[in-house]
Amino acid sequence: MGVWLRLLVFGGVSLRGCGGACVPLGGSRLLICRRQFSGAESETLKQRRSQIMSRGLPKQKPIEGVKQVIVVASGKGGVGKSTTAVNLALALAANELSKAVGLLDVDVYGPSIPKMMNLKGNPELSQSNLMRPLLNYGIACMSMGFLVEETAPLVWRGLMVMSAIEKLLRQVDWGQLDYLVVDMPPGTGDVQLSVSQNIPISGAVIVSTPQDIALMDAHRGAEMFRKVHVPVLGLVQNMSVFQCPKCKHKTHIFGADGARRLARTLDLDILGDIPLHLNIREASDTGQPIVFSQPESDEKTLGHLTFRTTPNLASSHPEPEQNKKAEEAWLCSLLKLRQPSSPALECWQS
């Protein structure tokens, strides 16, 4: 007969019942609850478990029509990751006029792309029931922010978020793109793992301020991508210096050259050194990114990112095989979204 073991660890608490027995372990107690199944039920469970485990992680499948994917990530929130992603996409399009560029926002809880790209409205559906990206400044954009109200919070558990990420990756009609820039959420959690293990990624750009607290998380982010065999193209040091508009005195508010030191530690390139400047913030808040609205300004370092990113992109060689360890998180693909709030969300139930 099969045995179902559920181990609950309680510090110094003695529990009895459920047909179980308390077993002391290192000053704590384990409650072992056993549930007996019939022979047929046990065999069915074993077969089902074997089927799930044999799947392992999903095989990488390219996004249809997309040639190269660049992810922009950071371990810490609030370091200018979305600003960098938006301006990198615009710089790629501006410096290679023959190239088609898209921008995907997978920060489900805090989507920024709609405001930064001055876009509103729900995406239309194609005849094949795929969402069509919204277009501005020549960039095709998709974000969860297009599917919900601007101020509506997404109070979703992890499984719902993972299902949404799967739809954003697989149910968008991008047409033909040379580059897809993906704005990742902060951290090294389920979303980062899901994206990096579901689609082939040409390279990752890590954004950080020079502050030690931000650099610690940026280091973790870079190591995560290395563990899943995604090439790290380099680091962007954002808010590197503030220059007084009157006296021109420079102040390193968040520290000096912290990202450069981290880049040396990780043997990576510095792709850009972006100052803390009022124009960059104002341009982002008004939906007129600095690379588009002020391409010749003193803050044009953002536009120069592409000159350092694309050579590193060309020299990167992502390995085809990702980690093989099976993850329970992938059971989220069995979940379907409920309570759609727009026609685009409604199509996800199919």
Side-chain angles (χ1 to χ4, degrees):
M1 291 187 181
V3 178
W4 180 30
L5 299 179
R6 179 178 298 170
L7 302 179
L8 300 176
V9 181
F10 296 90
V13 178
S14 177
L15 296 177
R16 298 182 183 278
C18 304
C22 289
V23 182
L25 180 63
S28 300
R29 294 177 182 270
L30 294 179
L31 175 65
I32 306 177
C33 298
R34 296 180 173 87
R35 177 180 172 185
Q36 303 295 330
F37 292 94
S38 67
E41 288 176 332
S42 176
E43 189 62 30
T44 301
L45 286 174
K46 285 181 179 179
Q47 292 177 359
R48 179 60 178 161
R49 182 168 51 193
S50 298
Q51 290 174 358
I52 293 175
M53 295 302 291
S54 66
R55 296 173 189 166
L57 295 174
K59 292 183 178 179
Q60 280 193 335
K61 180 182 177 183
I63 299 175
E64 187 173 352
V66 177
K67 294 181 181 179
Q68 297 200 74
V69 176
I70 305 171
V71 298
V72 180
S74 66
K76 180 75 69 180
V79 297
K81 169 184 53 61
S82 296
T83 301
T84 303
V86 165
N87 285 282
L88 176 59
L90 287 166
L92 286 168
N95 288 297
E96 299 185 64
L97 297 178
S98 62
K99 304 294 186 182
V101 181
L103 183 59
L104 174 60
D105 183 0
V106 295
D107 192 346
V108 173
Y109 290 123
S112 302
I113 299 305
K115 185 172 183 63
M116 289 187 174
M117 291 295 287
N118 196 24
L119 287 169
K120 290 184 179 180
N122 293 334
E124 297 179 352
L125 296 179
S126 67
Q127 291 183 347
S128 55
N129 226 26
L130 299 178
M131 293 180 290
R132 290 195 177 102
L134 276 63
L135 188 69
N136 199 12
Y137 307 126
I139 306 295
C141 303
M142 178 53 62
S143 169
M144 181 60 70
F146 299 146
L147 307 176
V148 297
E149 295 295 328
E150 184 176 357
T151 58
L154 281 180
V155 189
W156 286 356
R157 293 188 183 274
L159 295 179
M160 295 287 284
V161 174
M162 299 308 295
S163 183
I165 295 299
E166 175 70 16
K167 307 305 181 183
L168 287 173
L169 291 177
R170 300 299 179 194
Q171 295 194 11
V172 177
D173 183 6
W174 290 106
Q176 297 298 314
L177 292 181
D178 295 284
Y179 299 110
L180 178 63
V181 178
V182 180
D183 181 21
M184 302 279 273
T188 56
D190 289 344
V191 173
Q192 289 81 358
L193 194 62
S194 179
V195 172
S196 61
Q197 292 180 327
N198 270 279
I199 61 175
I201 297 175
S202 301
V205 174
I206 306 296
V207 182
S208 178
T209 65
Q211 187 178 7
D212 289 345
I213 297 299
L215 291 169
M216 290 170 59
D217 290 335
H219 195 159
R220 294 186 185 101
E223 292 295 347
M224 184 214 71
F225 284 115
R226 285 177 167 176
K227 285 186 176 181
V228 294
H229 307 292
V230 171
V232 180
L233 303 178
L235 273 67
V236 173
Q237 182 168 249
N238 195 23
M239 308 182 204
S240 59
V241 64
F242 173 75
Q243 179 174 297
C244 177
K246 294 184 178 180
C247 69
K248 306 302 181 183
H249 176 72
K250 293 184 178 180
T251 303
H252 294 89
I253 296 175
F254 296 104
D257 294 331
R260 291 186 178 277
R261 292 193 297 272
L262 178 60
R264 287 194 295 268
T265 300
L266 297 174
D267 193 24
L268 295 173
D269 294 333
I270 286 289
L271 303 176
D273 212 330
I274 303 168
L276 178 62
H277 201 285
L278 179 64
N279 288 354
I280 297 177
R281 195 275 301 167
E282 289 180 339
S284 298
D285 285 351
T286 58
Q288 298 179 328
I290 194 99
V291 168
F292 174 82
S293 60
Q294 303 176 46
E296 300 302 322
S297 68
D298 292 337
E299 298 73 51
K300 58 190 176 186
T301 307
L302 278 165
H304 290 168
L305 279 177
T306 183
F307 293 114
R308 299 183 181 94
T309 302
T310 47
N312 289 4
L313 192 63
S315 63
S316 65
H317 299 283
E319 297 181 24
E321 294 295 326
Q322 306 296 335
N323 289 347
K324 298 299 183 182
K325 188 180 294 183
E327 299 277 359
E328 291 183 359
W330 296 110
L331 293 176
C332 68
S333 61
L334 303 177
L335 184 69
K336 290 186 177 181
L337 292 177
R338 301 185 298 273
Q339 298 178 348
S341 58
S342 70
L345 271 176
E346 188 172 351
C347 79
W348 288 8
Q349 289 186 325
S350 60

